[in-house]
Amino acid sequence: MQNNAIDFKRQVTVKLADIKLQGALSRLQSRFVEGRSAVISEIADLPETRNAAAAIRDRVLNDLEHWLLQFEQQATARGAIVHWAETGEDVNRIVAEIARQHSVRTAAKSKSMVSEECGLNDALEQAGVEVMETDLGEYILQLAHEAPSHIVAPVVHKNKEEVADLFAEKHQLPRKTGIAELCREAREILRPAFLNADMGISGANFLVAETGSALIVTNEGNGRLVTTLPRVHVAITGIEKVVPTLEDVSTLLRLLPRSATGQSITNYVSVLTGTRGRDDHDGPEHFHIVLLDNGRSKLLGSEMQEMLRCIRCGACMNHCPVYQNIGGHAYGWVYPGPMGSILTPLLSGLEKSPDLPNASTFCGACAAVCPVKIPLPDLLRKLREKQMERGMKSHRETFMLKAWAWLALRPNLYALATRIAVRGMRLLGGKEGLLHRLPGAHGWSDGRDFPAPAGRTFRELYRHGSRK
């Protein structure tokens, strides 16, 4: 997938004016935020479970080479072939070579964000392989020639009417409007793709070191069909997805579906181990697992390592006020929301995504809901510090930050300046009591109104209260 993160500011303006998108995003609150809130309380020992999940991820990341080698050994012993890919281009080359070796002409694909990261579909089609997305959301996007806008609900930016129009145009069938009818139509189109595919392609939510298994969680059943019907299965995932044991997976699965879709558990949890045995009724004859680095190993041992704990649930973006207003496409690459505002600069370069570390209100909601306790605001702040160190901020912003720092180190002057600022903004607010634009901060205050300060500064109020 092409990285357009450099256009973040321009995309934000476009998305804020998109009435259809704003209507679609309004459903995030009821579908994901309220859904998570309803089921997360089912975990009686939630704080302990989150601590345990974070500890599992840290245990892996602190000795990643050991767990990956154990995974490779166990997977190989059960008939799988493990490939190591340093870049996205390596993934595309490896999968295209696997397709060539097995004379693959058609591939059925389950949802995989790593394959989006690599641009795998385009590479396979250039190699002469027809790829069919089988996750309903991804299938809709393939028809519309669009990228996902959410890592769990990729088509969250579209409404039912848009999907109905798209199906009628692409399927050349009478337009249907009922959700059940649309699903049935997609199912009838996709069924032959499962049965005729030479190769199935999937991601992996986790890799289990003790058994050499790839594990996926889905709701539609397409993942199970993709990984069991075709004679060749290729699973593609990042190197950080390995966990030591199945028991560790069970801890993470208590949190993943609840955080992602507000479900106690997903419809399908598939543990894929090795190739089809002599007495097995299904499963691939050839099982390839491709492990992608693409900059992840450089984060190990760094101050950004905690980002690799991420289990791709999407809870941070569902609760982020920035994502809730602009959607996923504005972020310009595979990973949107707070996790994307960190991952994109880390994996593709801070210079290619200079605005993403600033795409946060620092409200802390993302960290509060993260099931593996990633300190997302802290990591965003570290990226901002790197921008300052590299001189990537504008002269005006640099000057204002330095002026604020100088003032903040002089408490008496700071108190005087804030008293003047509060009274000035109160006058600017007038009878309406609203600030439509802040002097010197036009880019930040354009498009939003702020309530004018109603009274005195906190220091004045505190001093006044202490005298009572």
Side-chain angles (χ1 to χ4, degrees):
M1 180 178 171
Q2 186 175 354
N3 188 337
N4 295 315
I6 196 77
D7 290 331
F8 178 75
K9 282 185 177 178
R10 186 180 64 81
Q11 285 296 326
V12 165
T13 304
V14 173
K15 300 306 178 185
L16 287 174
D18 187 333
I19 296 173
K20 286 184 178 178
L21 175 66
Q22 294 302 314
L25 291 174
S26 66
R27 295 193 292 271
L28 276 175
Q29 288 285 331
S30 57
R31 184 175 174 187
F32 292 125
V33 176
E34 294 174 12
R36 175 193 173 277
S37 178
V39 299
I40 203 71
S41 59
E42 295 173 349
I43 305 176
D45 56 346
L46 180 61
E48 293 79 6
T49 304
R50 289 180 72 201
N51 288 336
I56 290 168
R57 300 298 296 135
D58 282 344
R59 180 183 172 207
V60 167
L61 297 174
N62 290 334
D63 198 6
L64 185 59
E65 181 179 354
H66 165 76
W67 297 114
L68 284 171
L69 291 176
Q70 182 178 340
F71 170 78
E72 181 183 35
Q73 183 184 36
Q74 295 300 321
T76 303
R78 289 165 173 78
I81 299 174
V82 177
H83 305 263
W84 301 85
E86 185 172 349
T87 66
E89 289 76 17
D90 291 338
V91 169
N92 296 342
R93 176 182 50 77
I94 290 168
V95 180
E97 178 61 22
I98 294 169
R100 189 193 64 76
Q101 288 174 358
H102 295 286
S103 302
V104 169
R105 307 303 302 172
T106 59
K109 187 164 167 283
S110 181
K111 191 165 79 68
S112 163
M113 299 309 293
V114 167
S115 72
E116 295 286 342
E117 186 179 325
C118 304
L120 179 65
N121 285 12
D122 290 342
L124 284 180
E125 286 173 7
Q126 289 175 12
V129 178
E130 180 185 354
V131 181
M132 176 75 89
E133 294 284 355
T134 62
D135 174 273
L136 180 58
E138 294 284 350
Y139 173 66
I140 292 168
L141 295 178
Q142 188 176 32
L143 291 181
H145 302 290
E146 293 180 12
S149 65
H150 192 289
I151 63 171
V152 175
V155 73
V156 71
H157 58 285
K158 285 189 179 298
N159 59 36
K160 184 182 65 173
E161 285 68 31
E162 289 176 285
V163 175
D165 290 340
L166 184 68
F167 276 16
E169 177 193 348
K170 299 294 182 180
H171 294 165
Q172 296 293 298
L173 293 170
R175 185 177 186 272
K176 303 175 181 64
T177 55
I179 291 178
E181 291 177 304
L182 292 168
C183 289
R184 177 177 293 279
E185 183 171 309
R187 191 179 297 120
E188 289 172 354
I189 297 289
L190 290 173
R191 185 67 62 177
F194 293 118
L195 297 173
N196 298 326
D198 303 308
M199 182 165 74
I201 301 172
S202 74
N205 291 91
F206 301 110
L207 303 169
V208 187
E210 69 172 348
T211 61
S213 308
L215 184 144
I216 61 173
V217 293
T218 64
N219 273 317
E220 298 178 16
N222 66 306
R224 188 160 289 183
L225 292 171
V226 160
T227 57
T228 54
L229 288 180
R231 54 189 168 87
V232 182
H233 174 207
V234 180
I236 308 167
T237 193
I239 56 174
E240 80 279 16
K241 293 293 188 68
V242 67
V243 293
T245 66
L246 283 169
E247 185 174 351
D248 292 328
V249 171
S250 70
T251 299
L252 294 167
L253 284 182
R254 295 183 71 196
L255 295 165
L256 176 58
R258 288 183 170 90
S259 303
T261 52
Q263 296 170 279
S264 299
I265 193 167
T266 52
N267 292 338
Y268 300 91
V269 177
S270 303
V271 182
L272 312 163
T273 307
T275 53
R276 177 191 299 192
R278 182 176 299 175
D279 299 325
D280 292 338
H281 297 293
D282 56 25
E285 299 169 17
H286 309 278
F287 186 18
H288 296 264
I289 303 167
V290 185
L291 303 178
L292 173 66
D293 185 332
N294 206 27
R296 290 162 171 80
S297 61
K298 292 179 181 176
L299 305 181
L300 296 172
S302 77
E303 60 181 354
M304 308 302 289
Q305 177 176 300
E306 291 167 299
M307 193 59 232
L308 294 178
R309 285 187 202 153
C310 181
I311 58 175
R312 307 293 194 266
C313 68
C316 62
M317 61 189 68
N318 297 338
H319 292 75
C320 174
V322 177
Y323 181 93
Q324 288 171 355
N325 281 279
I326 64 174
H329 286 159
Y331 291 84
W333 201 46
V334 186
Y335 305 109
M339 55 85 78
S341 295
I342 299 168
L343 267 182
T344 302
L346 292 178
L347 297 184
S348 63
L350 196 52
E351 291 75 10
K352 294 181 179 178
S353 47
D355 297 314
L356 295 191
N358 304 294
S360 169
T361 63
F362 274 3
C363 65
C366 51
V369 298
C370 177
V372 288
K373 303 185 71 171
I374 300 173
L376 293 157
D378 291 342
L379 299 183
L380 286 167
R381 189 177 294 108
K382 288 174 183 174
L383 287 176
R384 295 184 187 187
E385 290 171 359
K386 289 181 185 296
Q387 288 182 311
M388 285 294 289
E389 292 167 2
R390 297 180 189 178
M392 295 175 63
K393 296 288 187 181
S394 67
H395 293 306
R396 188 181 71 168
E397 188 173 354
T398 302
F399 170 78
M400 292 182 69
L401 286 171
K402 287 184 176 178
W404 181 87
W406 182 87
L407 197 60
L409 291 172
R410 292 160 177 80
N412 292 334
L413 273 178
Y414 186 87
L416 176 63
T418 52
R419 281 203 300 273
I420 295 172
V422 163
R423 285 158 178 76
M425 287 192 285
R426 193 169 58 196
L427 287 174
L428 283 175
K431 294 181 179 178
E432 193 181 14
L434 284 176
L435 295 170
H436 301 292
R437 179 170 291 188
L438 288 177
H442 300 316
W444 187 61
S445 58
D446 287 350
R448 71 184 87 181
D449 296 331
F450 297 86
R456 292 168 290 181
T457 66
F458 173 77
R459 287 187 178 203
E460 291 175 299
L461 292 171
Y462 184 78
R463 191 180 303 116
H464 178 73
S466 299
R467 288 173 181 167
K468 287 185 177 178

